[in-house]
Amino acid sequence: LFVTLPSCDCTLINVQRKLVTMNPDRRVIVYPQYIDALKTVAEGRRIPKSLACEDPNVGEMHDSCNLLKLHSTIEGKHYPRDWLPRCRIRVQLKGDDGKPVDPEIPDRRTLLVKLAELVVKHPGRVGGKPRQQSAASKLAEAASAAVGAGPSSGAGSGSKPAPSKKGKKGKK
């Protein structure tokens, strides 16, 4: 028989009239904003700018965790201070016994520094920076923007709208 109490994060199990509590998820949550060199501390960066990487991606962070042999999962949640990029990762730093899975990464801060080091070296990056769009895709995007803006632009680009023929309304 399972009973969940709304005021508690624990699940209680009634086994032979004994209540046993289960711990909630103890994995560490890491958002890309934590290691982004383009963010300020107020915007969510948690490590020094000199150690951070530019515009990290959740996929790159997940690959870096796999390289460090840490179990991680991607979740579709957004960072409260920055709603646009969705996703975060949960990383299991400690085992069931409470000891670190990797002795070189005992805490969250060390994990963030290691992730920032590895994301820069990720094969999906060019020179440590995220890949830019190819020239062909930029041209196609510019052409589609020009076609979409063409009919609605009116008489010409940069021209003022035609003045209205009606006079001023209100008191004279």
Side-chain angles (χ1 to χ4, degrees):
L1 176 67
F2 293 94
V3 180
T4 304
L5 300 176
S7 63
C8 178
D9 288 339
C10 303
T11 302
L12 303 176
I13 303 171
N14 186 358
V15 179
Q16 298 175 355
R17 301 233 180 236
K18 292 182 183 177
L19 293 178
V20 180
T21 60
M22 297 175 71
N23 289 335
D25 194 6
R26 300 295 299 165
R27 293 178 292 172
V28 174
I29 295 174
V30 181
Y31 290 97
Q33 287 84 351
Y34 290 176
I35 61 172
D36 192 351
L38 301 176
K39 301 285 182 190
T40 63
V41 172
E43 291 172 336
R45 183 172 40 85
R46 300 233 175 145
I47 59 175
K49 193 177 272 193
S50 60
L51 299 176
C53 63
E54 188 175 310
D55 199 22
N57 182 333
V58 175
E60 297 167 346
M61 293 168 56
H62 180 67
D63 292 343
S64 301
C65 286
N66 289 340
L67 190 65
L68 293 170
K69 294 185 175 51
L70 295 173
H71 179 69
S72 64
T73 56
I74 298 176
E75 296 180 338
K77 304 280 186 162
H78 61 80
Y79 187 54
R81 294 186 203 174
D82 192 7
W83 285 57
L84 188 59
R86 279 188 71 115
C87 289
R88 67 182 184 191
I89 60 171
R90 279 189 181 258
V91 183
Q92 185 169 0
L93 285 181
K94 298 184 180 179
D96 294 334
D97 57 354
K99 294 182 182 177
V101 174
D102 185 358
E104 293 182 9
I105 307 173
D107 57 358
R108 182 189 315 247
R109 182 172 167 79
T110 310
L111 172 69
L112 294 176
V113 172
K114 293 271 189 186
L115 283 178
E117 289 173 6
L118 291 174
V119 164
V120 172
K121 299 173 186 174
H122 193 271
R125 292 183 163 242
V126 176
K129 295 186 179 184
R131 278 195 187 157
Q132 300 296 323
Q133 290 180 338
S134 66
S137 64
K138 284 183 182 178
L139 288 175
E141 188 176 303
S144 67
V147 169
S152 64
S153 62
S157 62
S159 66
K160 293 181 183 178
S164 101
K165 294 183 179 181
K166 294 181 180 179
K168 221 177 187 184
K169 292 184 179 180
K171 292 184 180 181
K172 293 185 179 181

